[in-house]
Amino acid sequence: MGLLQYDAGRDGFIDLMELKLMMEKLGAPQTHLGLKSMIKEVDEDFDGKLSFREFLLIFHKAAAGELQEESGLMALAKLSEIDVALEGVKGAKNFFEAKVHALACASKFEAELKAEQEERKQEEEKRRIRQAAFRELKATFST
């Protein structure tokens, strides 16, 4: 799955936490403030997250030279595996949806992993209790 996929909430938007994950995966981690300002720069409807339209805007601004060289958005535009100019909007939409989907998968996978670890911990705990009970039982018989 070449496209790393970023909308954990599966709502068709990329929110702050998802953007954080995305930037880390792209190898350009951002501070909390950096992430907020990235979203703010293209967040036309002020909902604090990126829609597909706003996501596209990043690439348009990059192409038009409207992004600061050092900005997180510039890093995102450069590092994302898509050239909107070449791929066109359809390619970009597929990319965005793939990102959204992959993020969802990634967070689902993490949740499943956590549940599994939790289960294992409980098993351990039960085993310890059983062993302790067995030891006590043995102790009562051996007196």
Side-chain angles (χ1 to χ4, degrees):
M1 198 155 169
L3 290 173
L4 270 162
Q5 321 25 54
Y6 295 104
D7 166 29
R10 277 209 261 306
D11 53 3
F13 293 94
I14 290 178
D15 66 21
L16 189 86
M17 286 315 289
E18 290 160 355
L19 184 61
K20 177 180 191 296
L21 186 62
M22 185 175 184
M23 294 308 288
E24 282 164 9
K25 290 226 165 86
L26 289 172
Q30 302 292 312
T31 63
H32 190 76
L33 272 178
L35 292 163
K36 279 186 125 147
S37 73
M38 281 173 72
I39 291 177
K40 208 157 104 191
E41 197 165 335
V42 287
D43 187 12
E44 296 181 317
D45 53 6
F46 308 109
D47 61 357
K49 51 192 181 180
L50 297 178
S51 66
F52 174 64
R53 241 188 72 69
E54 292 161 348
F55 184 73
L56 263 191
L57 199 56
I58 297 169
F59 296 96
H60 285 303
K61 282 183 173 249
E66 291 170 20
L67 297 179
Q68 282 154 2
E69 204 42 57
E70 301 304 304
S71 72
L73 288 182
M74 195 64 185
L76 171 61
K78 276 193 188 143
L79 294 166
S80 287
E81 315 91 299
I82 185 165
D83 183 336
V84 174
L86 288 178
E87 296 264 355
V89 170
K90 188 177 178 317
K93 184 137 181 74
N94 295 343
F95 170 79
F96 182 78
E97 279 163 3
K99 284 264 190 266
V100 160
H101 176 69
L103 272 180
C105 293
S107 62
K108 186 164 162 274
F109 175 70
E110 278 164 29
E112 281 167 10
L113 213 60
K114 269 205 193 81
E116 218 170 273
Q117 287 167 341
E118 201 45 51
E119 214 170 287
R120 224 171 291 143
K121 265 210 310 252
Q122 284 168 356
E123 283 302 313
E124 278 294 305
E125 191 56 33
K126 279 186 204 144
R127 207 169 26 250
R128 269 203 302 277
I129 291 169
R130 273 202 304 272
Q131 284 170 344
F134 182 68
R135 272 197 302 276
E136 270 173 37
L137 199 65
K138 244 167 68 174
T140 17
F141 279 112
S142 59
T143 44

